[in-house]
Amino acid sequence: MNKEEFLSGVKEKLEGLPPKELEESLAYYREMIEDRMEDGMQEEEAVAAMGSVEEAASQILDGMSLPKLVKAKVKLSRTLRAWEIALLIAGSPVWVPLLVCIVLVFFTFYVVVASLLFTIHALNLALAVAGIAGIASAILQFATNRGLGGGLTLGAAIFSTGASVLLFLGSRHVDKAFIHLAKRFGIWIKSLFLRRFEAMEQLEGQKGTSI
Amino acid sequence: MDIQLKRGLLEMGVLAAIKRKDSYGYQIIKDLRPYVTISESTLYPILRRLETADCLTVYNIEHNGRLRKYYRIMPEGVQRLKKFEEEWKQVMAIYDFIRKEEQEDE
């Protein structure tokens, strides 16, 4: 593959990007190939050192922030045809509530999980407080010569404290799992945009070649 | 190696490569080569991120009838390198401890 073939290959893969962004990426690879050739490499060799066209394209996308990706995607959808826009508007009574619904479902899921966590922590705190109060009360009862009551209270207090410690250890794992899940969800959202972006590009590319 | 960690390390490597003297893409790759292999495709997003974070600035210089991009480190970049060195001391201390424990196990 020669230099121009490589560059036009990358360009084709990133057709939907803002022109400035695209130009900058291509200028970078052009400079890199030319510098290698100046260093004594053959053109083909220098191009081969760049890796595959796909890798170059995906790294360029990777370096872009999510807002930029979304903007680029919006730009792509601006080339919609009139009937597509009409269809979107006509369909809005269906897809707008649907979208709102999906967002709400995710939000609800988060709230439910978060409140579950809150409940666990509240229970944990209650057990700890009950344990400490119980021990204090037991000491008081022992001091006032009510040994039987004191013993019972002490037993309950130790049980409560133990349960709270166990719950605390367990709840840390649950917390971690929740944070992990939230992170994964964020990454998933970003990948959704990336994937859709790539799919749109392929679509655009096919349109380009068929005409 | 963990991708995030490697990314961060490469960012520091690139900053160090342009710290003493402004440099260009291929020169950065050549300077780093004895220590770490970094491909053109890996370098590109790193340069972009550092530029967005105001760690470096870019300018063009004409070279053999074409433009070549030069990268200059900014105060923010120098700051990050300094912070990295400080933090890395802690990492090395933990590393020494791990090595010591493992040697005692043997």
Side-chain angles (χ1 to χ4, degrees), chain A residues 146-192:
Chain A
R146 282 178 287 163
L148 188 62
L152 275 171
T153 315
L154 189 65
I158 288 170
F159 175 78
S160 171
T161 313
S164 131
V165 169
L166 276 180
L167 202 60
F168 177 70
L169 291 176
S171 70
R172 280 205 359 223
H173 287 288
V174 180
D175 280 352
K176 256 189 222 154
F178 179 63
I179 290 165
H180 181 70
L181 199 72
K183 258 192 211 152
R184 283 285 295 275
F185 184 63
I187 291 168
W188 179 69
I189 295 272
K190 187 175 175 182
S191 77
L192 212 63

Side-chain angles (χ1 to χ4, degrees), chain A:
Chain A
M1 201 183 341
N2 68 28
K3 185 176 73 185
E4 292 309 322
E5 280 167 355
F6 178 83
L7 292 175
S8 64
V10 174
K11 191 174 175 179
E12 211 172 278
K13 285 248 177 289
L14 299 172
E15 206 68 64
L17 284 190
K20 198 172 148 271
E21 203 78 34
L22 187 61
E23 258 336 291
E24 226 169 282
S25 324
L26 293 179
Y28 171 84
Y29 278 99
R30 186 186 299 276
E31 181 197 308
M32 283 302 195
I33 294 170
E34 282 167 1
D35 274 341
R36 275 188 186 253
M37 283 163 69
E38 238 182 68
D39 213 25
M41 270 193 189
Q42 293 295 314
E43 182 170 342
E44 310 267 311
E45 227 183 316
V47 171
M50 298 297 117
S52 69
V53 167
E54 287 74 23
E55 195 197 337
S58 76
Q59 286 286 0
I60 290 167
L61 282 177
D62 186 49
M64 286 174 68
S65 58
L66 182 60
K68 262 195 189 155
L69 275 176
V70 174
K71 229 191 273 171
K73 197 180 95 71
V74 170
K75 210 167 184 181
L76 264 184
S77 48
R78 265 202 213 114
T79 56
L80 287 176
R81 294 203 184 80
W83 65 268
E84 284 173 319
I85 296 166
L87 210 64
L88 269 178
I89 295 169
S92 64
V94 179
W95 67 260
V96 169
L98 210 63
L99 192 71
V100 170
C101 191
I102 290 169
V103 171
L104 281 179
V105 165
F106 276 117
F107 180 69
T108 316
F109 177 72
Y110 266 103
V111 170
V112 167
V113 176
S115 49
L116 197 72
L117 281 180
F118 180 76
T119 314
I120 291 174
H121 287 298
L123 184 67
N124 201 344
L125 188 71
L127 281 171
V129 169
I132 291 163
I135 289 168
S137 154
I139 290 168
L140 210 72
Q141 288 179 57
F142 280 127
T144 52
N145 261 338
R146 282 178 287 163
L148 188 62
L152 275 171
T153 315
L154 189 65
I158 288 170
F159 175 78
S160 171
T161 313
S164 131
V165 169
L166 276 180
L167 202 60
F168 177 70
L169 291 176
S171 70
R172 280 205 359 223
H173 287 288
V174 180
D175 280 352
K176 256 189 222 154
F178 179 63
I179 290 165
H180 181 70
L181 199 72
K183 258 192 211 152
R184 283 285 295 275
F185 184 63
I187 291 168
W188 179 69
I189 295 272
K190 187 175 175 182
S191 77
L192 212 63
F193 270 107
L194 267 174
R195 228 181 300 145
R196 191 164 300 166
F197 186 73
E198 274 159 12
M200 267 181 152
E201 238 133 53
Q202 272 166 13
L203 214 69
E204 294 282 308
Q206 279 162 9
K207 256 189 239 160
T209 48
S210 62
I211 292 165

Side-chain angles (χ1 to χ4, degrees), chain A residues 21 24-25 28-29 31-32 34-36 38-39 41 49-50 52 55-56 59-60 62-63 68, chain B residues 7 24-26 29-30 33 39-45 47-49 63-64 66-69 71:
Chain A
E21 203 78 34
E24 226 169 282
S25 324
Y28 171 84
Y29 278 99
E31 181 197 308
M32 283 302 195
E34 282 167 1
D35 274 341
R36 275 188 186 253
E38 238 182 68
D39 213 25
M41 270 193 189
M50 298 297 117
S52 69
E55 195 197 337
Q59 286 286 0
I60 290 167
D62 186 49
K68 262 195 189 155
Chain B
R7 216 178 236 183
Y24 56 94
Y26 188 43
I29 289 178
K30 279 202 289 190
R33 196 176 284 158
S39 74
E40 273 81 355
S41 290
T42 322
L43 180 63
Y44 186 67
L47 287 170
R48 293 304 304 272
R49 263 198 303 277
H63 170 84
N64 277 356
R66 59 189 172 90
L67 288 178
R68 195 190 249 162
K69 272 192 171 167
Y71 305 93

Side-chain angles (χ1 to χ4, degrees), chain B residues 12-49:
Chain B
M12 290 305 127
V14 169
L15 283 178
I18 61 170
K19 192 183 169 193
R20 203 174 309 141
K21 195 162 129 259
D22 296 1
S23 189
Y24 56 94
Y26 188 43
Q27 187 62 46
I28 295 173
I29 289 178
K30 279 202 289 190
D31 285 345
L32 285 173
R33 196 176 284 158
Y35 308 97
V36 59
T37 313
I38 175 170
S39 74
E40 273 81 355
S41 290
T42 322
L43 180 63
Y44 186 67
I46 291 174
L47 287 170
R48 293 304 304 272
R49 263 198 303 277

